[in-house]
Structures are given as C-alpha cells and as structure tokens.
Amino acid sequence: ETGVTQTPRHLVMGMTNKKSLKCEQHLGHNAMYWYKQSAKKPLELMFVYNFKEQTENNSVPSRFSPECPNSSHLFLHLHTLQPEDSALYLCASSQPQGALYEQYFGPGTRLTVT
Amino acid sequence: TQLLEQSPQFLSIQEGENLTVYCNSSSVFSSLQWYRQEPGEGPVLLVTVVTGGEVKKLKRLTFQFGDARKDSSLHITAAQPGDTGLYLCRAGTALIFGKGTTLSVSS
C-alpha cells in the first residue's frame, strides 16, 4: 500500500466509449502525475499537476483529458480511444518542484481498447 | 533529450546468485532513483542517491551513484525469488525513466 489508489484496476472499452480513470493520494503531496506504460517502452510521462495546476502536457493526444479538482484527486477522461492506447496507466504523486520528486505510484489501471 | 540506458534488459538467475544491473546516461543528474515494479503493480521507490560516489545499502541491495553523477548501479547479493520484478532507474527532477531491467529469480 503506497498511499495512492487507482480505480478501476481493469477497464475494457470500445473505441466510441467515454470512460474516466480515477486516482487518489493520501500522502499530503501537492504534485500528481499520469504515466502510460506499454510493453517494450519506458514509462511515458503524460501530464503533471502542481498545486492543481497543469504544468506539463507531454504532447498527449486530446482524446486524453486530465482533471485535477484538488491536490488529492486526479482524473483521466478518455474518449474515442484507439487500440494502440491499450496500456497500463499509472498515477503517481510527490512533493512539488524543488524537492527530490520521490514519486509514489498507484497500482495502475490496465486499459484495453477494443 | 536526456536518455537513461539500462542494462541488461533481461536477467534470469537462480536463487542465491549475485547480480548487478546498470543505469547509464551521457547527462549529469542532480539525483537518481531506483524503483522496483512487480507484475500487476506500480513501481515502488527503493532509494534516492544524490552525491557522486554515494553508496547506499538496503538489506541485500547495494546502490551506487557514479562519481560524475552520470551512472548508477544496483547490486543484489544472494538473490531471492522475492527480488523478481522490473527494476527502473529515474533521473531526479527530469521525470525520465529508463526502460528497466526485468529480473527473474527462480528457486
């Protein structure tokens, strides 16, 4: 238990569906992240939020839409995804910029796009 | 673009053996972290090294940061099946991960 929870753990969706991934951290951190992990690729940083403000968008397609209503919650809204978007989506949190960015990850959501 | 190269990519050993995995870059980093990821779970932070030449020990795991702060190694003594997993290195504030070393320890 790392203090970061993600739901759902598994998700299967069609290309025309709309779904959302949820992340919650109980560590008092102020930075939150979304990563994508595909087979044979390094972890890919998608989005970074510091104090609820998006500070990095790593050229992510608009079919992925993040939302950070407060420092403890992070969402990733999905719509019209492609099969190549199937991957493990990981949420992480840390203390914000200026610290060592020691990240604490959730268990991930395994997404399959059919 | 900063890149972290991890080697070997895969390692399969018997219980009780020793091993070393590496994380190398052409860039200098202010700090470097090692994580371990087990199947079906997210990465878990093992250690952060910040000083060139620094050595940190975590039970049977020994982490070293290169003098020039461009590389790091992780040495495991007497590996156990519980050490099985994907070992990832990450450059401090750059939020960049290497591809990782997949370690399999069989009994």
Side-chain angles (χ1 to χ4, degrees):
Chain A
E1 179 61 48
T2 62
V4 181
T5 58
Q6 289 188 245
T7 54
R9 293 293 306 274
H10 301 272
L11 178 63
V12 179
M13 59 186 288
M15 292 168 62
T16 58
N17 291 158
K18 288 185 180 181
K19 296 286 185 184
S20 295
L21 310 184
K22 179 182 177 182
C23 175
E24 183 173 2
Q25 58 96 0
H26 309 274
L27 300 169
H29 291 160
N30 288 302
M32 296 189 78
Y33 314 79
W34 280 116
Y35 282 88
K36 176 184 179 182
Q37 188 174 37
S38 307
K40 300 181 181 180
K41 285 187 177 182
L43 277 168
E44 298 173 70
L45 181 65
M46 300 175 72
F47 302 103
V48 180
Y49 279 82
N50 279 287
F51 296 96
K52 304 187 297 178
E53 298 298 319
Q54 187 180 120
T55 55
E56 187 158 347
N57 176 336
N58 202 22
S59 302
V60 180
S62 59
R63 56 186 185 269
F64 295 92
S65 175
E67 177 189 3
C68 188
N70 55 61
S71 292
S72 298
H73 294 86
L74 185 63
F75 296 89
L76 188 62
H77 303 299
L78 316 171
H79 63 97
T80 59
L81 295 190
Q82 304 299 310
E84 59 266 28
D85 297 322
S86 297
L88 182 68
Y89 288 85
L90 291 160
C91 171
S93 70
S94 76
Q95 293 299 347
Q97 191 169 1
L100 290 175
Y101 285 97
E102 292 181 334
Q103 292 176 304
Y104 293 81
F105 285 83
T109 295
R110 174 66 63 184
L111 173 68
T112 303
V113 181
T114 60
Chain B
T1 302
Q2 298 170 319
L3 289 176
L4 288 171
E5 299 289 337
Q6 290 192 246
S7 62
Q9 188 175 356
F10 298 98
L11 191 54
S12 183
I13 62 172
Q14 294 290 318
E15 183 176 4
E17 292 185 35
N18 301 331
L19 67 116
T20 303
V21 298
Y22 301 91
C23 175
N24 297 300
S25 175
S26 57
S27 301
V28 176
F29 298 113
S30 58
S31 63
L32 190 141
Q33 296 165 1
W34 285 93
Y35 293 77
R36 178 171 64 212
Q37 183 177 19
E38 297 182 14
E41 299 296 329
V44 175
L45 177 67
L46 296 174
V47 76
T48 299
V49 286
V50 296
T51 306
E54 181 177 5
V55 176
K56 281 192 174 180
K57 292 193 174 184
L58 185 65
K59 298 183 180 177
R60 293 175 294 101
L61 279 59
T62 301
F63 304 85
Q64 185 161 7
F65 202 13
D67 290 341
R69 291 185 285 124
K70 292 183 177 181
D71 54 86
S72 181
S73 63
L74 159 58
H75 181 80
I76 301 180
T77 302
Q80 298 177 1
D83 296 326
T84 293
L86 175 66
Y87 287 81
L88 297 161
C89 65
R90 204 205 85 190
T93 58
L95 301 176
I96 297 170
F97 281 85
K99 286 188 178 181
T101 292
T102 299
L103 172 64
S104 175
V105 182
S106 52
S107 55

